[in-house]
Amino acid sequence: MTVAKHVAARDCFRVIAPRPAARLTLFCFPHAGGAASSFHQLATLLPPDIELVAVQYPGRQDRYGEPMPRTLAELVDEITGAMLERLDRPAAFFGHSMGATVAFETARRLRSRRPNALRRLFASARRAPHHDNSKALTFPDDASVLRYVDSLGGAGAQLLADAELRELAMPILRGDFRLIADYRYAPGAPLTCPITAIAGDIDASFTVDHATEWARHTVAGCEVRAVQGGHFYTETAPGALARLITEKLAAEVSA
């Protein structure tokens, strides 16, 4: 590995609220257009034995100016390579929207190299990998992107009303949506960790019925949970999400 690649790999993660005595690491993968800072509230609400480590994708916030990945596989390879150095304790993944797909593919990459590292995957507000989203996330122009983002709600949609912020954010949004639109699930062995699929109870884009589709991607069981709120319930109900995660990981941190 070259020095340049080593530095880039270390730059993938942000520890928002350090927990040096934690017994488990929760790696969190942001939504399209999102960044590590979107998990600030969640990080502060988790108990001391769970340390949240947020993934920072290239091209945003303190990685602004770095080239956007050309494919989702390229992004996943970067994250996986960097993560191998951080698996010094049990881990779980939480992926929101696009992040659920990135988390799932990262889990698949890790399986052959660290088969027992991952204890649970939380798949939030995102259709299961075998579902084809290419048409839904292919946009002819920026106006179409804005309408789609606005339909999902959340703080990001409000920020896009500002022309300067919109100019900065649009290349990131379009790049992320391209990654997902071009993504094609390749059949393979299911995960060996359990999956908890989470839906906002008023999110029309991802319902509890959609969430059940994740069951085919694990041999360890899939549970579906609903949290009050829409697509970005992560912003409006972080306490409920923190309690759910803490509940599902209780056995892991007490072992």
Side-chain angles (χ1 to χ4, degrees), residues 2-245:
T2 67
V3 172
K5 286 186 178 179
H6 186 61
V7 171
R10 287 204 310 262
D11 209 33
C12 288
F13 305 109
R14 303 292 177 269
V15 181
I16 297 169
R19 305 281 173 81
R23 304 185 68 177
L24 181 141
T25 302
L26 178 67
F27 291 96
C28 290
F29 298 71
H31 57 280
S37 61
S38 64
F39 296 110
H40 177 82
Q41 283 185 293
L42 181 60
T44 61
L45 292 169
L46 291 172
D49 45 16
I50 300 176
E51 182 177 66
L52 188 152
V53 176
V55 178
Q56 187 77 299
Y57 304 145
R60 64 214 70 203
Q61 290 188 338
D62 54 354
R63 297 191 71 183
Y64 187 79
E66 293 185 37
M68 298 282 290
R70 293 165 295 181
T71 64
L72 191 134
E74 181 181 312
L75 175 62
V76 168
D77 285 344
E78 176 189 294
I79 294 168
T80 304
M83 190 174 289
L84 288 170
E85 301 178 6
R86 285 183 168 267
L87 295 175
D88 55 345
R89 57 194 178 202
F93 287 176
F94 175 88
H96 184 66
S97 200
M98 178 185 96
T101 303
V102 181
F104 170 75
E105 287 294 344
T106 302
R108 295 178 93 189
R109 297 286 199 286
L110 285 174
R111 184 173 50 207
S112 62
R113 303 175 73 176
R114 298 293 297 273
N116 299 316
L118 189 63
R119 305 304 169 85
R120 184 172 293 268
L121 168 64
F122 295 92
S124 167
R126 176 70 180 160
R127 299 291 294 270
H130 63 276
H131 179 79
D132 184 359
N133 286 296
S134 57
K135 292 182 179 178
L137 293 175
T138 300
F139 304 102
D141 50 38
D142 288 354
S144 300
V145 174
L146 293 173
R147 285 194 296 271
Y148 176 76
V149 173
D150 188 62
S151 73
L152 298 177
Q158 299 173 21
L159 291 174
L160 291 175
D162 182 282
E164 292 185 4
L165 292 176
R166 186 166 62 247
E167 183 177 355
L168 291 173
M170 193 57 67
I172 299 169
L173 280 168
R174 292 192 70 90
D176 285 352
F177 287 145
R178 185 188 69 247
L179 295 184
I180 290 297
D182 292 346
Y183 167 76
R184 298 293 182 274
Y185 168 71
L191 299 181
T192 56
C193 70
I195 295 175
T196 299
I198 310 171
D201 63 358
I202 58 170
D203 182 6
S205 69
F206 182 77
T207 67
V208 291
D209 287 339
H210 295 146
T212 62
E213 298 172 349
W214 278 93
R216 67 186 284 182
H217 297 287
T218 178
V219 295
C222 177
E223 179 183 16
V224 174
R225 300 289 290 268
V227 175
Q228 186 175 15
H231 190 75
F232 285 103
Y233 73 86
T234 48
E235 298 174 4
T236 59
L241 176 59
R243 289 190 294 274
L244 191 162
I245 290 172

